[in-house]
Each structure stands twice: as structure tokens, then as C-alpha cells.
């Protein structure tokens, strides 16, 4: 990866959208729900508050749940990714 996020930003690889319904119906691209979870593939060092560095609670490799409209879509080396602030993350998913 050629990107290194700054401060409290993270880069997330969104999970794949569901291709079929539970009943087996194949969904067209226009009907697919935008995924709201993904894996962190890069993270900044943290944010500065009153001169102190506050490290991120999330780390590379964490699977996270985020808001439907969170982050900014970017394309790196042909891969669609999301760049967002740590505060856009709702939860870490423990498998």
C-alpha cells in the first residue's frame, strides 16, 4: 500500500456487498446494500489534544462497523477503499 493516513484517519477495505438474498435471488448492482463493515488496512498515529498524542483505539487488521455514509471513497491501485476518521467507527467486530 502506498498510502499512510495522517493523525486519526484510517483506511478501510469494505466487505463485499451481498450478491444474493437469503432466498437465493441474485441482486443487480443497483439493489445491493452498501456494506457497513470492513477491515482496517492502514491507520495514522492518533490525534493531538492539548499537546498530547492520543493514540487510536483501533489498529490495522481490526474488523470494524461504521456508518452507512461514513468516510470518503478512494481508489488505490484499482481497489475501492474508504478513508475515515476513527470517530466514524462504531465498533470493533470480534470473531
Amino acid at each position: 500500500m502506498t498510502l499512510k493516513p495522517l493523525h486519526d484517519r484510517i483506511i478501510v477495505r469494505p466487505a463485499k456487498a451481498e450478491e444474493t438474498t437469503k432466498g437465493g435471488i441474485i441482486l443487480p448492482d443497483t439493489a445491493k446494500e452498501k456494506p457497513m463493515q470492513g477491515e482496517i488496512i492502514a491507520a495514522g498515529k492518533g490525534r493531538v489534544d492539548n499537546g498530547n498524542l492520543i493514540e487510536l483505539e483501533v489498529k490495522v487488521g481490526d474488523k470494524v462497523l461504521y456508518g452507512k455514509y461514513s468516510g470518503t471513497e478512494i481508489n488505490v491501485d484499482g481497489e475501492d477503499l474508504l478513508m475515515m476518521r476513527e470517530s466514524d467507527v462504531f465498533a470493533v467486530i470480534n470473531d
Side-chain angles (χ1 to χ4, degrees):
M1 157 104 64
T2 57
L3 287 180
K4 180 181 181 208
L6 301 176
H7 308 293
D8 65 337
R9 289 183 175 84
I10 58 175
I11 298 176
V12 176
R13 178 180 295 126
K16 300 290 182 199
E18 293 293 324
E19 299 284 329
T20 60
T21 65
K22 291 180 182 177
I25 298 171
I26 298 174
L27 296 171
D29 289 337
T30 55
K32 291 180 186 173
E33 286 280 328
K34 185 176 178 182
M36 295 188 302
Q37 64 182 10
E39 180 181 357
I40 297 176
I41 58 171
K45 294 194 182 273
R47 63 182 171 89
V48 177
D49 188 20
N50 292 330
N52 297 323
L53 179 67
I54 300 173
E55 294 184 10
L56 299 178
E57 292 185 46
V58 296
K59 62 186 180 306
V60 174
D62 282 350
K63 290 182 181 170
V64 294
L65 183 66
Y66 51 85
K68 189 171 193 172
Y69 301 106
S70 296
T72 302
E73 295 178 356
I74 58 175
N75 189 298
V76 179
D77 299 329
E79 182 177 16
D80 291 327
L81 304 170
L82 287 173
M83 180 176 283
M84 64 183 72
R85 293 188 180 275
E86 181 188 35
S87 60
D88 291 332
V89 173
F90 296 146
V92 176
I93 301 169
N94 294 323
D95 289 334

